[in-house]
Amino acid sequence: MTVIAHVALDTPLDRLFDYLAPEAGVADIGRRVEVPFGPRTLVGVLVELADHSEVPAAALKPLKHIDRDTPPLPAELLELARFAAGYYHHPLGAVLASLLPPALRRSGRPVRAAEPAAYTLSETGHTEVAVIDARKPAQFALAARFLASSVANPLARADLNDREKTLLRDWLKRGWLQGQAAPALSSSAASSPTPTSDQVTVLDAIRAAGAGFSPWLLHGVTGSGKTEVYLRLVADTLAAGRQALILVPEIHLTPQLTERFLQRFPGHSLIGLHSGLADGERRAGWLAALRGDADIILGTRLAVFTPLPRLGLIVVDEEHDTSYKQMEGMRYSARDVAVWRARQAGVPVVLGSATPALETWKNAKAGRYHLLSLAARAHAQASLPKVRLIDSRNDRPKQGFSRALLSALEATLERGEQSLIFINRRGYAPTLLCNGCGHVFPCSRCSAHLVLHRAGAGNASGYRLVCHHCGLDTRPPEACPDCGSVDLRPAGQGTQRVEETLAEHFPEARILRIDRDSAARKGAFAAMRDRVAAREVDILVGTQIVAKGHDFPHLTLVGVIGADQALVSPDFRASERLFAQLMQVAGRAGRAEHPGEVLIQTRYPGHPLYQSVVRHDYPGFAEAALRERRSADFPPFVAQAVLRAEASTEEAAMRFLLAAREAGMEMNQGVELFDPVPALMLRIAGRHRLQLLLQSATRNRLQAFLGHWLEALAALPARGVKWVLDVDPVDV
Ligand code: ADP
Ligand code: ZN
Ligand code: ZN
């Protein structure tokens, strides 16, 4: 009998490929294989076996290799990949490839025992490195770092430079070091606080539902003790011999949380999974999960596809966060995939947030998720920060700052406490403006203004004009290209300019700016956070990256500037995001024993959104926002998809979308197809981007339509047009 392997390969073609596999058996389903593909060898996943093929026998080629040294992907994960491929209309081969760590995508050969990701000193090592001579500075410095390391806090290979890696090899040979496999084990247990009565109620409810599938929305303000609830649930999961998957929105959030989990669960192995890891580390962690060796998996959205043979619990922290949505390749929502995975694997899933996504809130209100709330802050003494609106029509900001905000900053400095100025714009100023004729400087390749940045020290030539969309980076001109005036001025505020203004007002204050620019270097963010924690900083200036889940116990004042912009955004989700950001940034103020205050500068103090923030009233905000969405026929009351097309001319993209629309209209299956329109950013990097919105009353109806429609689209002439479908888009 012939045995045919159906192999999923990472090609743009949405089909499986057949190979002769005389030696393959059912135990090989889910294994990586190497196959000939034209002149190349590709790595794929064997997903099915069959006894015949549509391909003529003479054209069938045999598999080159089956990797039997690595466990196969569990059936549950293959099923998950099939679901994602179907729902997001992405080729299964591409889905499977994207869930493998990069190192396992490139080769189907057995994985060598991974080099340890981290090291500590052996017993001999301790004695030997302690006597290294200070006149050998490189060795001396490395010795000091090793002496400060411990099993709970080993030195990662990734943190060593080339010179240090050479020393590492040498010291390994001498037996001075011991390697530590990727899963970190903690040594000392931290005690767990007695749950508050709110937490007990929440835990009882989740436990009473048992080990099977149950979806929960845990709604609670920052500091209300959600993480403590996760920790208790994870403890149950580990006690039952199962694995727990914890998703967090940001790489930067993993170290803090990892630390907390490690301390709570000594003797259990934890791996982190995110795109910031070195290839080897990621592969080692992923394999530990696949082999069932890792008990706790803590990661960003890509971790939702981790193979977990003993999966027992999924937690999605800050479930509303937009970074759960992948914006390229397969445009999946890790939160939605997590819920689907939990259902299929028959395990509980807990979505946690202070400001749930409106989709999630509606699901909870409709009874599809069970809603649980933690009303107060967990620490008995800690109360919610007081939010005050500063009417900037009366108290007009100068250089971004109202008098009320400046005096609050001054008072906070005098008390020796920390402040945060939140402004969601990086750079020096959003635009450079000609004072002669009003000219602003557009990017030549995008439909966007160039942002003025300050590079290095403060001489005039240290300014740059930078495009935040395509990266274009130029020197500002001496004079206006339109009128020749040399009176060019920065207009508006960015983090760099705010930092400068603060330094003028408070020359004594130690100011630290945290944004994507200053935190770009690996490890920079953690170092800055440490400085804040060590009270080496008086005033923080930051974008949303500081707003997310970082605990700054000495921070008692938060000032918000430039928030109004989101109220006038054409994106209907902008106000939802603004509310979430404001609540989140407010949550930075006054944790622990210090009461906090939040000042928001706005021209619209009467706006219902700000009024809800003042009352810390998420449900009030959500009900109002959902009413608006319902009357406007927006999600979550309809299901949407967007067909995005880009081309070097607007006409080409438009032609394609019009043809696509016509094809869809002919099918007419209860799906509304809107007119193709320019994307919010029509042009990025010289490419014109247009989009076609589709909308239907239900997801099922939309899905049924998309399948047929995509087949028709594949047959359309699309010369020079790149197109992609985005199901459940978050930026329309
Ligand atoms: P969240 O995840 O909702 O922001 P956390 O679980 O991090 O909240 O809790 C906030 C703070 O309160 C943390 O410092 C945590 O250690 C503390 N905490 C949480 N639960 C309790 C409890 N039951 N008793 C005492 N302190 C608690
Ligand atoms: Zn001009
Ligand atoms: Zn640009």
Side-chain angles (χ1 to χ4, degrees):
M1 190 188 85
T2 42
V3 181
I4 306 293
H6 294 317
V7 176
L9 293 174
D10 186 10
T11 71
L13 297 175
D14 193 1
R15 46 167 286 212
L16 299 174
F17 296 85
D18 291 4
Y19 290 90
L20 289 169
E23 274 145 44
V26 283
D28 292 320
I29 293 179
R31 290 200 197 277
R32 290 180 315 133
V33 293
E34 284 185 356
V35 298
F37 193 80
R40 292 180 297 159
T41 297
L42 292 184
V43 178
V45 176
L46 196 165
V47 293
E48 283 161 8
L49 290 175
D51 51 17
H52 77 283
S53 172
E54 311 282 297
V55 181
L60 280 173
K61 292 184 185 157
L63 290 178
K64 281 192 168 169
H65 178 74
I66 302 179
D67 172 22
R68 290 193 169 117
D69 295 296
T70 313
L73 298 177
E76 175 252 349
L77 193 73
L78 290 178
E79 199 47 43
L80 184 69
R82 281 204 185 86
F83 159 76
Y87 187 82
Y88 294 107
H89 300 275
H90 204 68
L92 180 62
V95 175
L96 285 167
S98 70
L99 67 80
L100 293 173
L104 295 181
R105 261 175 243 166
R106 287 192 291 268
S107 154
R109 294 291 150 174
V111 180
R112 270 183 304 115
E115 273 184 348
Y119 299 85
T120 53
L121 291 171
S122 65
E123 226 166 285
T124 0
H126 258 288
T127 349
E128 297 288 341
V129 306
V131 298
I132 286 179
D133 197 326
R135 278 169 300 183
K136 298 175 184 158
Q139 298 198 26
F140 187 76
L142 188 61
R145 288 174 70 186
F146 269 115
L147 286 167
S149 74
S150 64
V151 175
N153 187 19
L155 206 55
R157 173 183 283 273
D159 290 340
L160 301 179
N161 63 28
D162 287 344
R163 169 92 178 90
E164 289 166 335
K165 281 187 186 141
T166 312
L167 286 173
L168 179 88
R169 273 191 293 276
D170 180 42
W171 292 7
L172 267 171
K173 267 190 233 138
R174 296 169 189 240
W176 293 1
L177 303 178
Q178 54 198 19
Q180 200 161 304
L185 289 173
S186 82
S187 45
S188 63
S191 61
S192 35
T194 313
T196 62
S197 62
D198 274 2
Q199 284 169 333
V200 169
T201 309
V202 164
L203 287 164
D204 284 352
I206 298 178
R207 284 169 179 158
F213 172 64
S214 56
W216 303 89
L217 169 59
L218 178 55
H219 172 231
V221 295
T222 312
S224 60
K226 297 186 295 298
T227 308
E228 187 55 39
V229 168
Y230 308 152
L231 285 161
R232 297 252 163 196
L233 295 174
V234 168
D236 295 353
T237 308
L238 298 180
R242 315 282 292 267
Q243 294 170 298
L245 172 63
I246 318 293
L247 299 181
V248 293
E250 273 250 16
I251 292 179
H252 295 313
L253 290 179
T254 52
Q256 262 185 338
L257 208 57
T258 301
E259 194 54 36
R260 211 161 149 190
F261 273 83
L262 278 176
Q263 283 178 0
R264 188 63 70 84
F265 302 111
H268 285 280
S269 61
L270 179 149
I271 59 159
L273 279 181
H274 54 76
S275 58
L277 295 177
D279 273 8
E281 262 177 298
R282 183 145 151 217
R283 179 183 63 190
W286 192 87
L287 286 171
L290 171 64
R291 296 198 170 107
D293 294 341
D295 298 316
I296 304 167
I297 293 81
L298 206 155
T300 51
R301 64 170 178 257
L302 60 88
V304 76
F305 291 109
T306 312
L308 297 163
R310 300 186 281 117
L311 178 62
L313 170 73
I314 305 180
V315 171
V316 184
D317 192 24
E318 310 284 3
E319 64 84 30
H320 65 280
D321 200 286
T322 46
S323 69
Y324 283 123
K325 172 85 176 175
Q326 165 107 346
M327 299 297 238
E328 57 198 34
M330 176 170 65
R331 297 173 175 232
Y332 65 94
S333 151
R335 181 236 300 146
D336 293 352
V337 172
V339 174
W340 200 89
R341 183 171 189 177
R343 181 194 305 275
Q344 177 215 3
V347 303
V349 57
V350 180
L351 311 178
S353 177
T355 52
L358 291 175
E359 278 82 359
T360 307
W361 190 250
K362 177 172 168 271
N363 279 335
K365 287 289 166 179
R368 296 173 45 156
Y369 301 162
H370 312 291
L371 175 61
L372 297 168
S373 294
L374 292 171
R377 284 192 159 178
H379 271 298
Q381 313 94 319
S383 52
L384 290 170
K386 201 190 285 139
V387 180
R388 248 194 320 137
L389 302 173
I390 302 172
D391 188 340
S392 53
R393 291 166 306 184
N394 303 332
D395 186 350
R396 299 203 95 136
K398 287 204 191 82
Q399 303 273 52
F401 287 87
S402 60
R403 285 192 308 279
L405 183 50
L406 284 175
S407 54
L409 279 166
E410 191 170 345
T412 310
L413 276 172
E414 271 166 18
R415 287 197 306 272
E417 294 168 357
Q418 291 174 327
S419 311
L420 161 67
I421 299 299
F422 175 70
I423 169 165
N424 219 352
R425 280 187 168 256
R426 62 196 172 87
Y428 189 80
T431 45
L432 181 65
L433 182 76
C434 168
N435 209 34
C437 73
H439 178 82
V440 288
F441 294 78
C443 174
S444 55
R445 320 196 301 150
C446 307
S447 2
H449 291 157
L450 294 170
V451 177
L452 192 65
H453 276 247
R454 189 152 178 179
N459 55 342
S461 65
Y463 288 99
R464 307 288 300 174
L465 280 172
V466 178
C467 176
H468 283 190
H469 300 278
C470 73
L472 183 86
D473 184 334
T474 59
R475 196 130 71 107
E478 305 285 327
C480 173
D482 273 9
C483 73
S485 162
V486 292
D487 189 5
L488 305 179
R489 298 180 184 181
Q493 308 295 323
T495 45
Q496 290 178 321
R497 194 175 192 188
V498 163
E499 185 186 11
E500 183 182 279
T501 307
L502 285 169
E504 282 161 18
H505 280 286
F506 307 108
E508 313 283 278
R510 298 161 299 174
I511 300 168
L512 176 68
R513 170 170 60 87
I514 303 189
D515 56 23
R516 202 135 47 84
D517 301 314
S518 70
R521 218 165 26 79
K522 191 175 175 179
F525 189 84
M528 293 194 283
R529 205 185 49 221
D530 291 347
R531 283 181 58 197
V532 179
R535 308 186 79 159
E536 290 167 18
V537 173
D538 300 310
I539 307 179
L540 263 165
V541 177
T543 55
Q544 54 171 342
I545 72 170
V546 264
K548 290 185 185 179
H550 305 288
D551 206 348
F552 296 130
H554 308 291
L555 188 77
T556 55
L557 173 69
V558 173
V560 180
I561 57 192
D564 286 346
Q565 257 155 16
L567 295 180
V568 297
S569 163
D571 179 353
F572 72 85
R573 283 192 172 82
S575 61
E576 180 182 0
R577 280 198 298 268
L578 174 63
F579 185 85
Q581 274 173 6
L582 291 176
M583 293 290 279
Q584 212 154 35
V585 80
R588 300 303 113 226
R591 294 193 92 171
E593 293 74 36
H594 308 270
E597 190 180 29
V598 180
L599 300 184
I600 303 174
Q601 287 183 181
T602 171
R603 296 175 53 79
Y604 316 105
H607 196 288
L609 186 148
Y610 289 129
Q611 292 298 325
S612 299
V613 175
V614 169
R615 292 194 306 268
H616 298 277
D617 180 16
Y618 170 80
F621 164 78
E623 298 310 321
L626 282 172
R627 267 197 305 278
E628 265 176 42
R629 297 272 186 97
R630 185 198 291 277
S631 64
D633 248 356
F634 280 146
F637 296 95
V638 294
Q640 289 185 334
V642 165
L643 181 66
R644 304 178 193 278
E646 62 168 68
S648 52
T649 66
E650 196 174 335
E651 293 70 37
M654 181 56 96
R655 227 182 355 256
F656 173 79
L657 289 181
L658 284 173
R661 179 163 185 270
E662 203 171 298
M665 301 289 265
E666 280 165 17
M667 301 177 181
N668 190 19
Q669 299 177 346
V671 172
E672 200 175 347
L673 292 104
F674 289 80
D675 288 328
V677 292
L680 275 187
M681 288 278 306
L682 170 61
R683 218 153 48 96
I684 293 184
R687 305 277 293 171
H688 287 79
R689 303 152 68 252
L690 281 79
Q691 62 189 33
L692 166 59
L693 176 66
L694 297 91
Q695 191 161 296
S696 181
T698 69
R699 281 184 169 194
N700 286 345
R701 202 178 284 174
L702 182 63
Q703 282 293 333
F705 170 83
L706 289 175
H708 298 296
W709 189 50
L710 285 171
E711 278 171 31
L713 291 192
L716 289 180
R719 288 192 51 152
V721 179
K722 241 178 80 184
W723 58 270
V724 59
L725 184 75
D726 188 346
V727 179
D728 304 330
V730 292
D731 54 340
V732 178

